[in-house]
Amino acid sequence: MDKRRKLVSLLLGCMMLIVFSGCGGDNDQVQPQISEQDYEPYGKYESPVEFTIGRNTNHVNNLPPGDTIENNLATRYVEDRVNVKAKVAWETDDMDQKLSLSMTTGDLPDVMLVSREIFNQLVDNELIADMTEVYEKTASEGVKNIYASYGDLLLDQVKVDGKIMGLPMTNIGNQHQLLWVRKDWVDKVGAKLPESVEDVWDLARTFVEQDVSGTGKTVGMVMDSNAMNFTPVFAAHGAFPMNWIEKDGQVAYGSVQPEMKQALAELSAMYKEGLIDKQFAVRSNEEKEALVINGQVGILFNPWWIGYTNYKDSIKQDPDAVWVAVSAPVDENGKFKTIRQDPVGGGIVVVKKGFAHPEAIMKSVNLTTDFLYSLTDDAITYKKEHPDEMLTDASRWNNDPTQIPMQVDYDDVLKRYYDDLMKADESGDASSVQEDRVVSFRAFQEFKDKGNAVDVNTYGEYLSRIEGQREANNPNLEVIPAGFYGTTETMKLKWANLQKLEEETMLKIIMGQASVEEFDKFVETWKRTGGDEITNEVIQMSNR
């Protein structure tokens, strides 16, 4: 009987090991040999290689009739060129929850697009493949060039003990807040475009005092309820809320630094004066947009992509509206400062340990990137040969309907994109524009010809791709590296409460519900209730 119990225990133990890493606990022993031919970035398999993938639910369907997430022009391109096929294992609206459950059951798909937290869990449990050799041998020149544009910053985020354990999606640079101003209003009141902090508030004050909107309800500036779209105002004071920064040779949390107090005092004074929307804390996003669209606001902070929001509809209300982007306010040295945001955007693509052909995943990424951004003549030709299989709304292909819904792009893509459009405009040679940017070039030319008489989507394309991208690369911009991007153990337990404390305190101070001296109490509480512990963990992780 004892022998039978031991045998059953051994079998159960082996079954559990199979669930997570294969019986014996070492998948590397059973990993099939990958030939050098298989490693070729564009090498085609003789027999189809299929992988399963867990995906976020796709709620937008602009595919041609009959096409699906698994079968469309983008997926067929990869299948045709390298014989790699993707099968959707499941779709979910809560990827972290789904993957956490899958880890406990061992029912993981071959490919997953995961958050940093899930990535760390998968690494700790040895559930995903080392992609170092795959990346070095199979990543295309195009993908490698894109990743290289970030220096070491990007791949360092997915390296564990020097090994590349995932393929990061990218968060391109220069997506900071810009000051968008109604230039027609500026001209109307005889003012000039602002530069300093004082200039910004003076302009907002002038707009309000002269009721330049003519509505009797002109609002100085709108802002989000967490104050983060006012980051340029904080930065002008040397403050960087909600970011880990380098200070005095050590990593520190920006929201608890002394510089924050001065910035908050200023915002509180401006709110009290009526230069900031009095109801900003309770307005919905739609209500905030309505203030701008209806012509009550002529100055606000928003990134370069404002033209892809509802704000572009302001020209419907007022066809004479002229929006321009400004890098303001600058600091005392004339610099417009911003923190470099996390270079990993949207998640990290990982491959389940033991999957027979991890290099096939890299090939899919290669071909998909070529397809999305028209990086090769082959991708351009393929799309031109299948005009009836493009998206039904004639929009640019995004990453959603691809085999692996990941997006990678150059760190400095906004400059590349803008320079491409300007070069073609100056030469008059539209054929020189990169294929995926033709929509923007046409919008630019149409706006030059018709002005605000263009349709609102064309106007939005112009606003973002010309006005926004130009200003996002202002020579006065100073990008400051962040001190830390990841998550620590104590963060998992205490960060949500600390963030809530931070947001509530900032709002109370700005709205005058608490004095600016409350900031000192906040800092003390923040440190005592987990902030110091987390800071020490961040410092330790940063020094590794």
Side-chain angles (χ1 to χ4, degrees), residues 97-353:
Q97 182 183 48
K98 178 65 176 178
L99 286 173
S100 294
L101 178 62
S102 295
M103 276 191 279
T104 62
T105 63
D107 185 25
L108 291 171
D110 300 321
V111 178
M112 298 153 277
L113 182 58
V114 303
S115 64
R116 278 180 180 273
E117 185 175 349
I118 297 295
F119 173 77
N120 291 333
Q121 291 178 31
L122 290 167
V123 168
D124 291 344
N125 287 285
E126 300 182 357
L127 296 175
I128 54 176
D130 174 0
M131 296 291 283
T132 308
E133 187 174 19
V134 166
Y135 178 76
E136 292 172 350
K137 292 183 177 181
T138 311
S140 67
E141 182 180 352
V143 171
K144 284 183 175 178
N145 286 341
I146 288 172
Y147 277 177
S149 70
Y150 295 81
D152 295 329
L153 182 62
L154 182 63
L155 284 179
D156 278 354
Q157 308 302 312
V158 294
K159 284 184 178 179
V160 179
D161 297 328
K163 299 176 181 178
I164 298 173
M165 299 303 295
L167 303 173
M169 286 182 67
T170 58
N171 187 21
I172 64 173
N174 298 51
Q175 299 201 74
H176 51 275
Q177 301 285 345
L178 301 169
L179 187 68
W180 289 88
V181 181
R182 282 281 298 264
K183 181 64 166 58
D184 55 311
W185 285 17
V186 173
D187 295 340
K188 187 176 180 179
V189 300
K192 64 175 184 178
L193 291 174
E195 296 179 7
S196 67
V197 177
E198 292 77 14
D199 291 341
V200 171
W201 296 122
D202 284 345
L203 185 61
R205 186 176 295 111
T206 300
F207 285 173
V208 172
E209 290 178 350
Q210 296 193 24
D211 185 32
V212 70
S213 71
T215 63
K217 299 177 181 179
T218 302
V219 175
M221 297 184 76
V222 292
M223 66 184 287
D224 292 338
S225 60
N226 66 3
M228 283 310 294
N229 68 323
F230 266 51
T231 50
V233 174
F234 286 103
H237 288 280
F240 303 97
M242 299 188 77
N243 282 284
W244 292 94
I245 60 174
E246 294 277 354
K247 188 173 184 181
D248 301 326
Q250 198 67 275
V251 180
Y253 189 55
S255 296
V256 296
Q257 303 309 307
E259 293 82 359
M260 283 289 295
K261 193 171 181 179
Q262 183 183 0
L264 287 168
E266 180 174 283
L267 287 170
S268 180
M270 297 303 104
Y271 178 84
K272 184 177 181 180
E273 187 181 340
L275 302 186
I276 296 174
D277 174 26
K278 287 286 189 179
Q279 301 178 56
F280 80 88
V282 295
R283 286 195 195 276
S284 66
N285 193 55
E286 290 75 17
E287 290 171 332
K288 187 182 75 170
E289 289 177 338
L291 290 175
V292 179
I293 295 168
N294 295 336
Q296 291 175 247
V297 175
I299 182 170
L300 74 152
F301 288 107
N302 203 89
W304 68 272
W305 37 257
I306 192 171
Y308 299 120
T309 71
N310 292 328
Y311 288 135
K312 66 181 180 292
D313 291 345
S314 62
I315 64 167
K316 291 181 180 179
Q317 180 76 13
D318 186 354
D320 295 324
V322 178
W323 286 99
V324 296
V326 184
S327 294
V330 296
D331 68 5
E332 57 188 9
N333 298 314
K335 290 295 184 181
F336 184 66
K337 292 182 177 179
T338 187
I339 292 284
R340 178 51 170 103
Q341 297 303 306
D342 189 347
V344 177
I348 303 165
V349 171
V350 295
V351 179
K352 184 171 69 174
K353 192 173 184 180

Side-chain angles (χ1 to χ4, degrees), residues 455-510:
D455 70 80
V456 72
N457 290 326
T458 299
Y459 175 70
E461 190 74 22
Y462 159 78
L463 203 60
S464 287
R465 292 300 182 177
I466 303 301
E467 187 65 27
Q469 288 188 151
R470 172 190 56 76
E471 197 57 32
N473 291 285
N474 188 296
N476 284 339
L477 177 67
E478 181 179 333
V479 180
I480 301 169
F484 181 73
Y485 295 113
T487 302
T488 73
E489 285 302 312
T490 306
M491 274 186 185
K492 296 174 185 177
L493 301 173
K494 300 183 178 181
W495 197 242
N497 288 335
L498 289 175
Q499 282 186 310
K500 182 180 179 182
L501 171 68
E502 177 181 338
E503 291 178 8
E504 288 177 350
T505 304
M506 303 306 168
L507 283 180
K508 286 179 180 178
I509 293 174
I510 291 171

